[in-house]
Amino acid sequence: MTTRVLTALALLLIVGYASAQNQPAGWKGKFEQLDNLLPTPNSYRTGSGAPGTSYWQQQADYTIDVEVNDKTQLLTGTETITYHNNSPEALGFLWLQLDQNILADNSITNQTRTGAVRDSVPAGFFSGMAGVKTSDYKGGCTIKYIKDATGKALPYVVNNTMMRVDLPVPLKSGEKYTFSIAWSYTEYNRQIFGERGGYEYFPDDGNYVYTFAQWFPRMCVFDDYEGWQNKQFLGQGEFALVFGNYRVRITVPADHIVGATGTIQNAREVLTKDQLERYERAKKTFDKPVVIVTQDEATQKEKTHSEKKATWEFAAENVRDFAFASSRKFIWDAQAVKIGDKTPIAMSLYPKEGNPLWGKESTKAIRNALELYSERTFNYPYPVAYSVHAANQGMEYPMICFNYGRPNKDGTYSKQKLEGMVSVVVHEVGHNFFPMIVNSDERQWTWMDEGLNTFLEKETIRTRYPDLFESHGTPKGIVPFMKGEKSQMRPIMANSDDQRPSEFGANGYTKPSAALTLLRETVMGPELFDKAFKEYAQRWAFKHPKPGDFFRSLEDASAVDLDWFWRGWFYSTDNVDLAVDDVKWFRVKSQQVDPEKKTPRAKKGDLAASQQTNNGTDFSGGAQEFTILNTDPKAYGEFRGNLNDAEIRKQVDGKNLYQVRLRNVGGLVSPVIIEWTFKDGSKEIERLPAEIWRTNENEVSKVFVKEKEVVNILLDPNAELADVETANNVFPKRAMESRFDQFKKNN
């Protein structure tokens, strides 16, 4: 302790430190550790953020037969589920998700939908509203039967979007259980209901584009963290799902093209000779897409409406879900992508209404996403990746996603349309990594997949499409949200379904992305961040991470204490608002030396006796002078040697010392970035870590020594910190025009 005190005394003398850092009454513990908020580490999930030696997870394998009626839009299916109990406890019942029940008239979502009637409203306001029938659609899933492997009926109960199946005897640890379900539901018009699957009808040619999502009863997650994750599907929080193997047979009209999770098992049966040859060629073509079904071929099929049927068979291993798309309108192109030692095939399906935009950009965007995400996480492990064009939609599933971005009827499109279409394809393809492989619980923690994915989407656009890159998902882009009214604002860590709709996008997508950008570019640095982020991704690939696993992994792999960062950005609604409150400029006073004692004397009027000040708004008053005294011998304690006061005085003499008082107005502790502008026109950027606030969260004072004279000080010059108020970031102070003055100037 004595050594630290003496060192501090020496530094005080060297830099002229002027104010004691007393802990304020408003201390909020912003640098306290997160231990009390995170689950206690155990053998399942360790304190490092890695899976423990006893980590386990369940498995559910599916064999499904499904048929789509193109005239009635009825989907009927049967599935056989083999459920593997890898947990250490016996299970007396199983929980499944019936997500289509969200569209039932009596669903919790319909009953709790809020709104207000204005003096004039568009008719579309009433679409899907309870009590108003704008169509004869009847939503919800119909269960025909649930049977065990011998054909005996199993008892079950449906609770809104959840279904419990009671087992005849408890399923012991290490055992598996096989049962079957028959069900049906009517696919919906997505233009009316706006859900994640659905169909789009094209009146000009009388055809449909179907995107089937959440279309079969699916097992809930049972894990070490909370047992059964059977929280109701309310629409906003998405899905928590189990990995397994799928074998799916899809029966559709014979002229339809089908894309799905997994690889086609019977291509020779469902493709023409020419299509099959193109498909095989595409698997070996890396430079550009091969068109497997041309626009002319698709347009011709639009007119025929085959009455025959065809069954497409797909297989997928180690996936958490299964989705598919079907239409006779589909154009199909594909190309191979080199990822490590694998060559997945990138494929796009789109009606002619998507061209020329989709033919030019979709498969290219898939390739760019797979390459960048693989570089930052792990090599893409699946054999295929589809992008399917569906109006006003952006939704993801293993190996397949549904994306918007339609040009004008004459084929033209704006840069904004191009940016939107490329971004959504990159984003939805990127979801293969989060949460399809790094399998987080979307029902509760939207940010764990959407936020991390938005961050990597932004990185892909920034590096692969620099001309299209904007501030979406960056600290600069999140400022308007961060400066919003706080009384009802939720933090990122609020449950997904508890986020207000007006904030869901920001808290789920852009704020976490902005936070990770700040973490990478400013707090940790790209090299350290990228290693830590990749470590998390590789630890939890094909597993079920929770928020604490992410927080702990990034700290564990970087040696950076980030608890202050998670507290501020993820657990609070504070914002970054740093202010330069005051700046004082000092120079060493010309010394008068006592010929006998060689000790400078402080005279009345210099800073040793009184604090003279400039005008507090600029540097016009010139530098204030201060005296450097020799060190009192008592300060050395037991040390035998002394500091060389003359050398210290020499080092400081002629330099400019700037005592800067910074204030944390917004409450979110932050690194400090200062741009110094000197009298000769040169500039310097200086970076201070967020730990500068650790003993006083509200206000700090620091002395800087500069060779050259400073004329301007600016905080956050490159908008890295998401500072919501830039007017207080500068010294000398600048007069700010009022809104009224701005109005008068512009009118």
Side-chain angles (χ1 to χ4, degrees):
M1 180 63 76
T2 304
T3 302
R4 294 180 62 188
V5 170
L6 286 176
T7 303
L9 286 172
L11 289 174
L12 292 181
L13 290 168
I14 293 170
V15 301
Y17 186 79
S19 64
Q21 301 300 296
N22 296 320
Q23 184 163 288
W27 179 74
K28 300 287 180 62
K30 297 180 187 295
F31 281 91
E32 294 304 297
Q33 297 299 287
L34 280 179
D35 296 357
N36 63 321
L37 296 177
L38 301 181
T40 302
N42 52 43
S43 61
Y44 305 134
R45 297 168 192 272
T46 68
S48 69
T53 55
S54 301
Y55 177 83
W56 55 268
Q57 63 190 37
Q58 309 291 64
Q59 179 178 333
D61 299 329
Y62 297 80
T63 300
I64 306 176
D65 279 274
V66 63
E67 181 170 350
V68 178
N69 189 317
D70 192 38
K71 295 180 179 178
T72 65
Q73 286 66 61
L74 181 69
L75 181 147
T76 56
T78 60
E79 64 183 311
T80 298
I81 304 174
T82 300
Y83 187 74
H84 303 254
N85 183 15
N86 299 320
S87 78
E89 58 188 286
L91 303 176
F93 49 81
L94 307 177
W95 280 101
L96 293 91
Q97 305 181 53
L98 301 179
D99 306 285
Q100 293 301 324
N101 284 358
I102 194 175
L103 293 179
D105 290 341
N106 63 344
S107 72
I108 296 174
T109 300
N110 277 334
Q111 293 182 68
T112 59
R113 184 176 285 118
T114 60
V117 178
R118 301 186 297 273
D119 58 355
S120 58
V121 296
F125 173 81
F126 296 99
S127 294
M129 179 181 289
V132 179
K133 279 292 184 183
T134 57
S135 74
D136 58 0
Y137 178 78
K138 182 174 178 57
C141 186
T142 300
I143 302 296
K144 183 178 179 181
Y145 65 74
I146 301 180
K147 299 178 180 179
D148 67 13
T150 67
K152 184 179 179 180
L154 291 172
Y156 67 92
V157 61
V158 174
N159 176 13
N160 290 290
T161 61
M162 293 291 161
M163 180 171 68
R164 169 177 156 158
V165 177
D166 293 324
L167 303 179
V169 295
L171 180 61
K172 296 178 181 178
S173 176
E175 294 183 343
K176 59 184 178 181
Y177 186 76
T178 299
F179 64 106
S180 59
I181 306 174
W183 83 99
S184 66
Y185 77 92
T186 301
E187 191 66 303
Y188 49 87
N189 186 335
R190 198 174 64 255
Q191 191 170 358
I192 297 175
F193 295 100
E195 282 297 321
R196 291 164 174 79
Y199 64 79
E200 179 184 4
Y201 177 67
F202 292 79
D204 289 349
D205 52 59
N207 286 293
Y208 298 84
V209 168
Y210 297 97
T211 53
F212 289 97
Q214 294 83 248
W215 55 277
F216 61 101
R218 306 179 296 173
M219 293 300 307
C220 294
V221 169
F222 182 83
D223 67 14
D224 62 281
Y225 191 81
E226 61 185 322
W228 285 109
Q229 210 300 37
N230 52 11
K231 290 175 171 55
Q232 295 290 336
F233 178 40
L234 303 180
Q236 195 160 260
E238 289 183 329
F239 312 107
L241 297 162
V242 185
F243 284 112
N245 303 318
Y246 285 75
R247 193 87 178 193
V248 182
R249 291 164 47 87
I250 304 166
T251 300
V252 294
D255 52 2
H256 274 217
I257 294 294
V258 178
T261 298
T263 54
I264 304 171
Q265 301 298 294
N266 61 338
R268 293 184 180 278
E269 298 174 19
V270 295
L271 301 181
T272 67
K273 181 179 179 181
D274 288 343
Q275 291 168 352
L276 182 62
E277 184 277 326
R278 299 166 189 163
Y279 176 61
E280 294 299 329
R281 179 156 42 95
K283 294 178 181 179
K284 303 173 185 177
T285 303
F286 293 89
D287 57 338
K288 62 181 180 180
V290 173
V291 179
I292 299 169
V293 176
T294 69
Q295 181 164 327
D296 286 343
E297 290 169 337
T299 301
Q300 185 61 37
K301 286 195 295 181
E302 288 178 352
K303 305 172 184 177
T304 58
H305 292 223
S306 174
E307 295 293 329
K308 296 180 180 179
K309 297 179 181 179
T311 298
W312 295 59
E313 186 170 343
F314 291 84
E317 294 184 355
N318 209 14
V319 294
R320 68 170 226 161
D321 200 1
F322 191 102
F324 69 99
S326 180
S327 180
R328 62 175 55 87
K329 291 177 65 67
F330 280 151
I331 303 163
W332 182 6
D333 70 49
Q335 74 171 83
V337 183
K338 184 66 175 175
I339 303 291
D341 60 354
K342 293 182 169 57
T343 55
I345 184 168
M347 300 192 280
S348 295
L349 300 174
Y350 45 95
K352 64 179 184 298
E353 287 77 8
N355 264 341
L357 180 57
W358 271 68
K360 291 180 178 178
E361 300 292 344
S362 177
T363 300
K364 175 184 174 183
I366 299 172
R367 185 198 70 209
N368 283 327
L370 294 182
E371 291 175 346
L372 189 285
Y373 280 68
S374 295
E375 176 186 314
R376 296 290 185 90
T377 59
F378 44 77
N379 287 341
Y380 183 70
Y382 291 136
V384 302
Y386 281 96
S387 169
V388 181
H389 177 45
N392 296 343
Q393 192 171 24
M395 194 58 204
E396 71 279 357
Y397 301 92
M399 301 186 229
I400 189 169
C401 54
F402 312 141
N403 305 310
Y404 62 79
R406 185 167 293 175
N408 301 319
K409 288 187 176 180
D410 63 1
T412 60
Y413 51 89
S414 64
K415 181 181 178 181
Q416 183 179 18
K417 177 71 71 173
L418 171 63
E419 190 275 334
M421 179 266 182
V422 167
S423 293
V424 74
V425 174
V426 168
H427 182 93
E428 306 305 344
V429 170
H431 271 305
N432 278 287
F433 296 81
F434 305 96
M436 301 305 154
I437 296 171
V438 182
N439 189 11
S440 58
D441 179 356
E442 301 175 277
R443 186 64 48 87
Q444 298 186 85
W445 312 113
T446 295
W447 68 267
M448 286 194 74
D449 72 294
E450 297 293 0
L452 274 58
N453 187 40
T454 299
F455 166 72
L456 288 180
E457 170 210 331
K458 171 191 67 67
E459 289 292 282
T460 304
I461 302 300
R462 181 179 67 83
T463 57
R464 299 301 178 92
Y465 301 90
D467 293 341
L468 300 180
F469 181 68
E470 295 181 355
S471 61
H472 177 78
T474 66
K476 180 180 180 180
I478 200 61
V479 165
F481 172 74
M482 296 284 279
K483 69 194 305 182
E485 202 276 322
K486 297 290 192 295
S487 64
Q488 293 294 318
M489 186 178 287
R490 272 63 160 175
I492 289 175
M493 283 295 290
N495 189 282
S496 298
D497 281 313
D498 294 339
Q499 298 281 359
R500 294 190 298 172
S502 60
E503 297 174 358
F504 182 74
N507 275 334
Y509 296 68
T510 51
K511 184 179 175 183
S513 172
L516 294 179
T517 301
L518 174 64
L519 202 56
R520 182 180 193 265
E521 304 300 330
T522 304
V523 177
M524 298 172 70
E527 182 179 6
L528 197 57
F529 175 89
D530 289 349
K531 287 180 180 294
F533 191 85
K534 179 177 285 192
E535 181 69 27
Y536 164 74
Q538 293 182 351
R539 282 178 175 180
W540 289 97
F542 298 105
K543 295 181 177 68
H544 302 278
K546 306 297 180 183
D549 302 318
F550 177 71
F551 299 150
R552 285 168 164 155
S553 286
L554 262 65
E555 291 196 23
D556 178 64
S558 68
V560 180
D561 186 349
L562 296 171
D563 285 26
W564 64 270
F565 186 85
W566 310 129
R567 277 186 181 275
W569 276 91
F570 286 75
Y571 284 89
S572 85
T573 59
D574 292 343
N575 58 34
V576 177
D577 183 5
L578 304 182
V580 182
D581 257 14
D582 181 65
V583 179
K584 289 184 172 62
W585 173 23
F586 300 103
R587 279 182 178 158
V588 175
K589 184 178 178 65
S590 298
Q591 308 292 345
Q592 294 183 1
V593 180
D594 185 312
E596 296 297 326
K597 297 185 177 180
K598 303 292 190 289
T599 301
R601 294 175 176 176
K603 288 192 171 184
K604 182 180 179 181
D606 78 10
L607 291 176
S610 64
Q611 289 283 325
Q612 61 187 53
T613 61
N614 57 26
N615 59 21
T617 59
D618 56 34
F619 298 110
S620 61
Q624 301 176 64
E625 293 187 326
F626 71 100
T627 299
I628 297 181
L629 302 174
N630 282 346
T631 306
D632 187 336
K634 295 179 182 178
Y636 296 120
E638 296 181 346
F639 284 107
R640 303 291 178 164
N642 296 337
L643 295 175
N644 188 333
D645 292 340
E647 181 62 28
I648 293 172
R649 196 175 289 113
K650 180 181 177 180
Q651 291 295 321
V652 179
D653 191 37
K655 292 185 170 57
N656 300 283
L657 281 69
Y658 295 92
Q659 178 183 301
V660 181
R661 187 169 75 239
L662 302 170
R663 189 157 53 94
N664 180 5
V665 181
L668 180 50
V669 293
S670 169
V672 179
I673 304 173
I674 304 175
E675 179 187 79
W676 304 88
T677 302
F678 300 104
K679 194 172 184 178
D680 64 3
S682 62
K683 294 179 185 290
E684 175 191 354
I685 298 289
E686 191 159 357
R687 296 173 179 271
L688 307 175
E691 283 78 5
I692 193 172
W693 306 98
R694 68 189 182 278
T695 59
N696 188 328
E697 301 166 351
N698 305 317
E699 180 181 292
V700 295
S701 181
K702 184 174 175 61
V703 175
F704 301 85
V705 181
K706 301 296 178 185
E707 295 284 346
K708 295 185 286 188
E709 187 176 323
V710 172
V711 296
N712 190 76
I713 296 173
L714 177 64
L715 300 183
D716 193 21
N718 299 315
E720 296 178 49
L721 304 176
D723 196 315
V724 302
E725 179 55 74
T726 58
N728 58 13
N729 285 11
V730 65
F731 187 92
K733 306 295 184 184
R734 297 173 185 170
M736 299 297 294
E737 287 185 339
S738 68
R739 290 185 180 181
F740 180 69
D741 292 334
Q742 294 173 357
F743 175 79
K744 287 196 301 182
K745 180 186 291 186
N746 297 327
N747 290 276

